[in-house]
Amino acid sequence: MKTENSPAAVENDGLSNPARAIGLIVVAVSMFATMEAMAKYTSETIRVEMVIWGRYFFHFAGMVLVLPLLGVRRTFHVKSPVKVTIRGLLLLGCTMCFFTAISLIPLTDANAIAFVAPLITVALSAFVLREKVGIRRWAAVGIGFVGVLIVLRPGFNEIHWAYFLVLAMATMFSIFGLMTRSLNRTEDPVAMQFHTALVGFIGTGILVAFYWETPTLREWAFLIVIGIIGGVSHQILIFGFRYASASLLAPFHYTVIIWATVYGYFIFGDVPEVWTFAGAALIVTAGLYVWIRERQIKPKHPAQH
């Protein structure tokens, strides 16, 4: 079955433009990193629960404002409301875990560990979806987790509990990705985006009732920008996948480590240790190998696209 992100689908729609797609993905990734840096910075003066709320409240508010342009019927209509809601809850869980983690640990470390998400996807594909995973991809998964151990270095220093939040985020994001891959075959991307914002809006609204702090004018400004960046960056990501296949664009997601390092150093004074870069390099190498193998395998099994 072909999805809107498959190479064939892109070519058939006459939208194939790899250069534009790569540019959009790089922009989206840089915006994600900017949002993370702003979230970490804002959480220094206000509770992180408020930051998470702001990310979804203003994302949802932005979508409501452009609702007439998107089309009310198109935006609200989903064929699998339960699955779409679960997908939204998973992304909310990812945001809660990651924003909490980066309020406590360096951005570069958090993003380095988050790179295991594609490797967790491989493991979940084997055990949950019963997909065949060869010994070479299993080896890549193992190497990736060795990279995580290098970043954490258990036994050599005390491991902050926030690192486990990043691992939890990576696991949830992997499930989120698998669900997105499945739902893309039947659901409108705009409708999924709206329901993601709606689930986050409701979920964080309940959460913040227990942790409300009235933001200062400056904090309000940061929360608004975080929410807008969160919504716009996801929309840019969707547009990027319209012009090229997901398999082509996957490696460019790793550029976030550059932004995380820059923001971490210049804003927070975090100087990454050599172990962080060594572990990240190993994780990225393993992820790229999985990407290469999937590109080699998929043409042989078009029905699995």
Side-chain angles (χ1 to χ4, degrees):
M1 182 180 291
K2 297 171 183 176
T3 71
E4 64 172 355
N5 292 338
S6 69
V10 172
E11 290 171 6
N12 289 342
D13 290 342
L15 294 174
S16 181
N17 191 328
R20 180 181 295 179
I22 291 168
L24 289 170
I25 295 303
V26 171
V27 169
V29 168
S30 69
M31 291 178 72
F32 288 145
T34 303
M35 178 181 67
E36 292 167 5
M38 292 185 70
K40 181 177 176 67
Y41 184 78
T42 309
S43 66
E44 292 181 349
T45 60
I46 196 169
R47 294 187 67 101
V48 68
E49 291 87 357
M50 290 293 302
V51 181
I52 297 168
W53 169 80
R55 182 259 179 269
Y56 279 100
F57 179 85
F58 292 107
H59 177 182
F60 180 71
M63 293 212 70
V64 170
L65 287 176
V66 298
L67 202 58
L69 297 176
L70 299 175
V72 176
R73 183 174 180 180
R74 175 191 180 188
T75 305
F76 279 91
H77 179 69
V78 291
K79 297 178 181 178
S80 306
V82 174
K83 291 181 179 179
V84 170
T85 300
I86 293 172
R87 176 183 175 274
L89 289 171
L90 285 167
L91 189 60
L92 174 58
C94 289
T95 306
M96 292 174 68
C97 287
F98 199 71
F99 276 22
T100 302
I102 61 176
S103 70
L104 300 167
I105 61 177
L107 281 172
T108 308
D109 287 10
N111 278 283
I113 296 174
F115 285 156
V116 300
L119 306 178
I120 295 175
T121 300
V122 172
L124 290 175
S125 297
F127 290 111
V128 178
L129 301 181
R130 302 296 181 184
E131 293 182 359
K132 184 177 180 181
V133 176
I135 186 65
R136 284 178 286 185
R137 282 194 288 172
W138 274 123
V141 171
I143 291 171
F145 282 103
V146 169
V148 172
L149 292 177
I150 291 174
V151 175
L152 296 178
R153 284 175 295 145
F156 293 92
N157 58 349
E158 184 179 351
I159 301 176
H160 198 292
W161 58 269
Y163 286 101
F164 295 102
L165 287 179
V166 182
L167 289 173
M169 182 281 296
T171 302
M172 286 189 286
F173 191 76
S174 299
I175 300 171
F176 170 85
L178 290 173
M179 291 195 70
T180 301
R181 184 196 306 176
S182 174
L183 289 169
N184 267 341
R185 300 169 181 172
T186 58
E187 303 291 352
D188 188 311
V190 171
M192 283 203 294
Q193 171 83 326
F194 177 80
H195 281 78
T196 296
L198 177 61
V199 169
F201 168 73
I202 295 171
T204 56
I206 296 171
L207 174 70
V208 83
F210 299 96
Y211 299 102
W212 179 264
E213 292 180 10
T214 302
T216 64
L217 187 61
R218 178 172 168 276
E219 289 165 347
W220 274 119
F222 272 90
L223 294 178
I224 291 170
V225 174
I226 288 169
I228 292 173
I229 291 177
V232 172
S233 56
H234 273 89
Q235 203 60 51
I236 291 175
L237 201 67
I238 290 172
F239 282 125
F241 284 121
R242 291 184 64 192
Y243 296 108
S245 66
S247 60
L248 171 66
L249 300 174
F252 297 95
H253 290 267
Y254 291 119
T255 57
V256 73
I257 199 69
I258 300 172
W259 295 101
T261 303
V262 170
Y263 284 134
Y265 179 75
F266 287 103
I267 298 177
F268 306 104
D270 294 330
V271 181
E273 297 181 3
V274 65
W275 294 106
T276 300
F277 286 120
L282 208 55
I283 297 169
V284 170
T285 300
L288 289 175
Y289 179 78
V290 167
W291 164 71
I292 291 169
R293 284 296 298 159
E294 293 211 351
R295 293 201 76 190
Q296 291 173 340
I297 293 170
K298 279 186 176 182
K300 299 177 184 179
H301 305 283
Q304 297 176 3
H305 283 186

